[in-house]
Amino acid sequence: MSRYKLGPRLVNHVNIRKTHMSLKLCWRTTSLLTMATALIISTAAPKAYADIPDEDYRPILEHLLTTVMPPKLDALNDATVDLADGLTNFCSAPDADGLSDVRGDFHAAMDIWQEIQPWRMGPLVANGRDQHIEYWPDKHGTATRQFRKLMFNKPVAFTDPVKLSEASAALQGFPALEEVLFDDEHSDALITASEDGVFLCQYGSAIAANLVTITDELRGEWPGFADAMRTAGPESMDYPTAKFAATDLYRALHEGLLIISTQKLGRPLGDSEKDAKASRGESETSKRSLRNIHHNLIGLLAIYDGQWGDAGEEGKGLAALIDSSLLDRSFRLNWQTVQDTLADLPPSLTELLDQPDGYQKLVDLRGQIDFLTSLVENDVGGNTNLGGGFNALDGD
Amino acid sequence: MRHQRREFLKLMGVGGAFTLLPLDLARAATPAAQDRATYISASAGDHDDYYVSAFNAAGKILFEQPLPGRGHDLGLRPNHVDVAAVERRPGLYALILDRHTGDVRAKLHCPEDRRFYGHSIYSNDGRFLYVSENDFEHQRGVISVWDANDGYRRVAEFDSYGMGPHELHLMPGGDQIAVANGGLHTHPDQDGRTPLNLATMEPNLSVIDRKTGALMHQASLKQDWHQLSIRHIDVAKDGAIAVGFQYHGGLTDEVPLVGTYRPGKEIRAMEAPDTVQVRMRQYCGSVRFDASGQVFGISCPRGGIVTFWDAKTSDFLTHIAAPDGCGLSATDRAGEFVNTSGLGNGWRMDAIRRKRVELPDDSHKSLRWDNHLQRIAI
């Protein structure tokens, strides 16, 4: 086989030219590095990328799967324990301050979940676990419909975490708890401990307890999955090479950005400004749709960078395979630009869309995410040899 | 899952024996050396160079015939040397090659107002070649008919009863053709590949009388799943059709990607366990029944896995990783397949014993193997 192979080529390079041209108009700030990178990309012939020895992928798997992720799964479980405790305390003597505290617990748990959510692989998706933790997107309004019915019947089974775990996914995770804690109609009921409020408190406690169980199972199953990935080899029917195992991490990075663009931003944006609807966003009942994206980006960058808060180490993720410091710096700068943009926006889509230029700001944010996606497809996918293959990119 | 697998092994007649087989004996149970067939597929080099290439069961390249553009699937003329290599959509040419040498025996030109869609089949008597095509101005699919006994003259065409017809197969008996109408409208003025009707696409599976062009049966998925493009199929000897879908909706939407169909009934959707379903990445490549007609394999090149299913019970059986693996062909052994990859690899896979063995001769690794693989039994 030849020493050099053509990377995931022409189609992507054409795409990035188009993407970059359309983005130029809507970006408020464009770094020189961005321009330099775009120039390199747009004028390049189909690129040749050096083959990377399979063993070079193994330390990245080892680092991301055994050093970086486990403490985050512990943190998620800890956060759900705090949330469950918080609900128990609140329900024993409900008042406005208590509700505010438990909402804070909800946000803390949701923050860490949103960082983990894009790592869609292994135990995270096993037995529909990610959907049980957070049933979203809910295209057909299943959760609302089922919640309404639930409040009409108030079945006792839904106050038992074990029985709840066998119920519809739409009624057992973060969105259901969000409905309990943040819907204005329920706040008074909770605080006054009315008949509805008592049921909501018991149901909310069951949801939180169930989340503790699910996230505990998740962290318990992770090491086995990590072992299968990091010991990839020809005898494995799941991961025959370390490179192939690393492809799942690359895909999580790539698809995580696509999901932000098409679902988390695309759904509320609709087809036009008139069609825009904040309620189609994720977690908008708790007014944190954009805050979710900020945390998604933290978890996604960890795949590239190798550091995630106080876990891991910079440069030990996929970035370890990037042999161009210019591309690496450009990628990081562009990523930071998106986080800076988000920092200037309110956490709530409703609040943003209420601003006169809110819709355009959201369109701009989506453009920036799409540009990151094109950098992942071309620069990261190409330089790490983890981008789509000949058949995978075919679409036929 | 374990129960399903045990039931399946019983049906295959290997249950009790296999569970006691030590690993090395299980390995020895699939001797590639006894397979004297030729495997043939479209392929590509590293510099936009395209071929039809053949290799033996060991993976040794037998010939490479250059193509003017990227190929897709190959149609095998029964009891004849002819092999039809129809250009990938939007295709303009098809070459008829000698299956033993790769020599070009005839060339088919697509009419100006049509585009080939990469798949073809011959009638059982070998006289007529049927090619799936796009009548792009009228946004409909057609099946063209070419007379192999008359220098491959285009003699007729009939409606495919849907948009974007892709893979087609003869039904048992040979009088009817099953066509996977992917539901996608494309136009050569807009690259001929980009879907232009994602919001309104209506894929279906049609069974058509090949002599009259009449629609005999048609099935669609429920409206919620209208973005599941029905693209690849295979037909078992008993008339069961295995179907692979390609989803054009959200990445996280929970949709089936596999189904089975019997004319006159509904398409029965099937799902793998979540960890496998996610790795299928909403996209199926090739579909092939095994020699027994009970097991079928579906390759998922975006996820780099091949999935295996039981057509009788509609159960998922197992999966085997195959980086960029797409081409899939059944060997003459129950549950056994050959799979080829866009990265150059070729494997023999045993769905019953969940085993993957790389083809021993490295010569096949010099090429990227395209979507579909055919087996020519000697």
Side-chain angles (χ1 to χ4, degrees), chain B residues 103-345:
Chain B
D103 292 344
V104 177
R105 292 170 52 80
K107 186 167 185 178
L108 281 58
H109 298 277
C110 190
E112 279 184 13
D113 54 353
R114 303 279 187 272
R115 288 296 183 272
F116 287 149
Y117 263 27
H119 286 270
S120 64
I121 45 145
Y122 282 90
S123 55
N124 278 339
D125 63 6
R127 177 166 178 187
F128 296 108
L129 175 72
Y130 299 87
V131 181
S132 54
E133 295 181 2
N134 182 18
D135 173 2
F136 47 87
E137 293 301 357
H138 298 101
Q139 300 189 21
R140 69 179 191 128
V142 297
I143 307 300
S144 58
V145 189
W146 308 72
D147 188 346
N149 288 354
D150 189 9
Y152 282 96
R153 189 168 60 86
R154 185 184 178 100
V155 292
E157 69 174 32
F158 51 80
D159 207 298
S160 79
Y161 300 97
M163 276 188 214
H166 201 62
E167 189 159 16
L168 66 175
H169 277 278
L170 283 184
M171 294 297 288
D175 292 332
Q176 296 177 352
I177 296 176
V179 182
N181 283 305
L184 297 174
H185 170 51
T186 58
H187 196 288
D189 290 349
Q190 289 167 78
D191 80 17
R193 293 184 63 80
T194 304
L196 305 172
N197 64 332
L198 286 181
T200 58
M201 59 186 283
E202 291 179 348
N204 71 57
L205 188 51
S206 295
V207 179
I208 302 166
D209 185 310
R210 72 176 177 88
K211 289 175 181 159
T212 65
L215 179 67
M216 308 306 292
H217 302 279
Q218 191 171 66
S220 305
L221 293 159
K222 63 176 184 175
Q223 178 57 26
D224 268 7
W225 294 341
H226 81 103
Q227 288 185 315
L228 279 171
S229 183
I230 301 174
R231 294 288 265 283
H232 293 105
I233 54 172
D234 197 13
V235 179
K237 283 172 277 188
D238 68 354
I241 301 177
V243 195
F245 309 133
Q246 297 176 356
Y247 187 54
H248 289 269
L251 277 168
T252 55
D253 289 355
E254 291 182 7
V255 289
L257 297 169
V258 172
T260 53
Y261 172 67
R262 281 186 185 274
K265 298 191 171 173
E266 298 292 309
I267 295 173
R268 185 169 181 177
M270 299 153 75
E271 287 191 57
D274 292 328
T275 47
V276 178
Q277 190 76 21
V278 167
R279 291 183 71 188
M280 294 171 78
R281 303 279 162 191
Q282 312 286 49
Y283 185 90
C284 294
S286 287
V287 181
R288 282 291 176 270
F289 271 102
D290 76 337
S292 76
Q294 183 174 348
V295 180
F296 64 91
I298 291 202
S299 59
C300 307
R302 289 191 177 162
I305 58 172
V306 181
T307 57
F308 299 99
W309 309 76
D310 184 337
K312 285 219 169 93
T313 62
S314 296
D315 288 329
F316 169 79
L317 293 174
T318 191
H319 73 283
I320 296 177
D324 205 36
C326 195
L328 197 60
S329 180
T331 72
D332 55 358
R333 287 170 171 268
E336 190 181 65
F337 298 83
V338 170
N339 175 229
T340 48
S341 155
L343 299 174
N345 307 78

Side-chain angles (χ1 to χ4, degrees), chain A residues 12 24 33 55 66 76 99 144 148 177 183 214 251 257 264 304 308 348 386:
Chain A
N12 285 337
K24 272 200 297 189
L33 272 171
E55 285 309 306
T66 66
L76 174 63
L99 182 59
T144 308
R148 204 174 294 137
L177 189 53
D183 186 294
I214 296 174
R251 283 200 193 104
L257 291 171
K264 300 199 174 194
Y304 176 82
W308 185 347
S348 157
L386 295 174

Side-chain angles (χ1 to χ4, degrees), chain A residues 260 264-265 289-297 342 369:
Chain A
I260 292 172
K264 300 199 174 194
L265 295 173
S289 297
L290 297 174
R291 179 168 166 176
N292 283 359
I293 293 173
H294 164 69
H295 285 281
N296 274 174
L297 289 174
L342 275 163
I369 295 285

Side-chain angles (χ1 to χ4, degrees), chain A residues 248-282:
Chain A
D248 275 5
L249 291 162
Y250 167 79
R251 283 200 193 104
L253 172 60
H254 182 218
E255 290 184 1
L257 291 171
L258 288 175
I259 289 166
I260 292 172
S261 173
T262 59
Q263 296 182 0
K264 300 199 174 194
L265 295 173
R267 282 172 54 80
L269 274 168
D271 294 330
S272 64
E273 190 165 356
K274 268 189 176 171
D275 185 44
K277 209 170 183 181
S279 61
R280 285 195 295 254
E282 184 189 33

Side-chain angles (χ1 to χ4, degrees), chain A residues 77-289:
Chain A
N77 182 247
D78 291 347
T80 57
V81 169
D82 290 346
L83 178 59
D85 290 347
L87 263 157
T88 305
N89 290 338
F90 168 70
C91 291
S92 64
D95 60 19
D97 287 346
L99 182 59
S100 174
D101 288 348
V102 82
R103 283 176 173 176
D105 293 336
F106 175 91
H107 281 305
M110 200 56 178
D111 284 349
I112 181 65
W113 163 243
Q114 286 295 319
E115 293 179 18
I116 290 167
Q117 183 194 44
W119 290 53
R120 295 179 67 239
M121 60 185 81
L124 204 73
V125 294
N127 305 316
R129 189 170 280 132
D130 59 337
Q131 290 299 306
H132 285 92
I133 294 174
E134 188 194 354
Y135 184 78
W136 195 84
D138 181 4
K139 283 187 188 171
H140 304 295
T142 307
T144 308
R145 205 170 47 248
Q146 292 184 351
F147 197 93
R148 204 174 294 137
K149 198 173 162 194
L150 185 80
M151 288 308 293
F152 187 76
N153 295 325
K154 300 187 190 67
V156 180
F158 281 77
T159 61
D160 176 344
V162 177
K163 287 181 180 155
L164 179 65
S165 70
E166 291 156 11
S168 159
L171 289 175
Q172 51 172 290
F174 280 115
L177 189 53
E178 183 189 23
E179 194 73 20
V180 170
L181 296 175
F182 291 89
D183 186 294
D184 290 340
E185 281 184 20
H186 299 146
S187 301
D188 287 344
L190 282 168
I191 293 166
T192 57
S194 66
E195 186 190 346
D196 277 1
V198 170
F199 174 76
L200 284 166
C201 239
Q202 290 172 340
Y203 171 49
S205 297
I207 294 172
N210 185 41
L211 281 169
V212 172
T213 305
I214 296 174
T215 56
D216 190 42
E217 286 168 357
L218 170 58
R219 70 172 174 174
E221 287 178 25
W222 188 265
F225 168 71
D227 274 355
M229 292 268 273
R230 69 185 184 82
T231 58
E235 294 303 311
S236 166
M237 290 300 113
D238 278 305
Y239 298 104
T241 63
K243 176 184 175 182
F244 183 66
T247 306
D248 275 5
L249 291 162
Y250 167 79
R251 283 200 193 104
L253 172 60
H254 182 218
E255 290 184 1
L257 291 171
L258 288 175
I259 289 166
I260 292 172
S261 173
T262 59
Q263 296 182 0
K264 300 199 174 194
L265 295 173
R267 282 172 54 80
L269 274 168
D271 294 330
S272 64
E273 190 165 356
K274 268 189 176 171
D275 185 44
K277 209 170 183 181
S279 61
R280 285 195 295 254
E282 184 189 33
S283 310
E284 195 48 26
T285 303
S286 55
K287 301 199 169 18
R288 52 167 298 146
S289 297

